[in-house]
């Protein structure tokens, strides 16, 4: 757990890859450490290493199919496909994520962004309305605290989408 915590500190205070050593070490020390696989996948997704991210997320969901973080695993899988430009798969996985948890800020915001960029404005608006019913003051700031995309084009696309959606 200490290795994962060290990785998370680096992830939150600097560039996500700065915690890579610690996340990799956490699953090296304990191959069945679900949160380690999940955290490493989060970093890999943000860095554009989507194949590795998806493999780690699959491992996480296999090891702990009823994990309290399942909705975030599904969300990161959606974002992995989003980063790859596979918007149909990103929408599919974002739907799975919101079906598993309709109250988490990152889950709802990601579903809105993915659907907006894919051109499904009705679905995007649905998730924005739901988010606003839970958090009327929602902004993009907490989203980008957790989501630090290495690709400036992806970050710009997400920022533009959030702006279009009024978040």
């Amino acid at each position: 757990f200490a290795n994962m915590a060290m990785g998370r500190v680096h992830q939150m205070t600097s560039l996500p890859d700065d915690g890579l050593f610690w996340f990799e070490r956490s699953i090296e020390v304990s191959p069945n450490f679900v949160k380690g696989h999940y955290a490493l996948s989060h970093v890999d997704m943000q860095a554009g290493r989507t194949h590795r991210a998806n493999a780690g997320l699959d491992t996480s969901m296999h090891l702990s199919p009823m994990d309290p973080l399942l909705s975030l695993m599904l969300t990161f899988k959606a974002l992995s496909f989003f980063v790859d430009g596979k918007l149909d798969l990103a929408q599919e996985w974002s739907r799975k994520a919101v079906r598993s948890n309709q109250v988490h800020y990152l889950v709802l915001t990601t579903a809105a962004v993915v659907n907006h960029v894919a051109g499904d404005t009705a679905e995007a608006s649905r998730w924005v309305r739901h988010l606003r019913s839970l958090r009327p003051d929602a902004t993009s700031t907490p989203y980008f605290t957790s989501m630090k995309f290495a690709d400036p084009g992806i970050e710009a696309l997400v920022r533009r989408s959030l702006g279009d959606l009024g978040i």
Side-chain angles (χ1 to χ4, degrees):
F1 179 79
N3 289 296
M4 197 279 309
M6 287 296 295
R8 186 74 173 136
V9 166
H10 286 284
Q11 181 187 20
M12 296 301 290
T13 59
S14 58
L15 298 173
D17 268 353
D18 291 349
L20 196 59
F21 165 81
W22 295 103
F23 291 134
E24 288 173 339
R25 191 162 187 269
S26 74
I27 57 176
E28 190 177 294
V29 170
S30 181
N32 290 333
F33 184 41
V34 173
K35 191 155 173 105
H37 285 282
Y38 155 82
L40 179 58
S41 297
H42 182 195
V43 169
D44 284 336
M45 176 274 298
Q46 292 175 99
R49 294 183 294 268
T50 55
H51 181 72
R52 186 168 116 156
N54 282 327
L57 291 164
D58 289 343
T59 298
S60 296
M61 290 184 280
H62 175 75
L63 290 171
S64 185
M66 298 301 293
D67 199 276
L69 297 176
L70 178 64
S71 63
L72 290 172
M73 293 175 195
L74 298 168
T75 294
F76 294 159
K77 192 119 168 138
L79 281 169
S80 235
F81 289 119
F82 180 84
V83 166
D84 279 345
K86 298 175 182 175
L87 297 179
D88 55 333
L89 289 171
Q91 285 180 287
E92 178 185 329
W93 284 92
S94 74
R95 281 191 294 275
K96 290 178 184 184
V98 293
R99 280 195 297 261
S100 72
N101 182 335
Q102 293 190 9
V103 297
H104 196 288
Y105 173 81
L106 290 175
V107 173
L108 296 170
T109 307
T110 297
V113 166
V114 164
N115 283 285
H116 180 260
V117 172
D120 190 342
T121 55
E123 191 72 1
S125 295
R126 172 184 176 197
W127 296 119
V128 170
R129 282 191 309 276
H130 187 63
L131 174 63
R132 291 279 181 220
S133 75
L134 300 170
R135 289 184 63 179
D137 61 339
T139 68
S140 63
T141 302
Y143 193 81
F144 288 107
T145 299
S146 294
M147 299 296 174
K148 298 177 181 177
F149 297 101
D151 181 336
I154 295 294
E155 182 172 340
L157 179 61
V158 173
R159 281 191 189 281
R160 205 168 32 255
S161 179
L162 288 170
D164 291 349
L165 294 167
I167 299 174

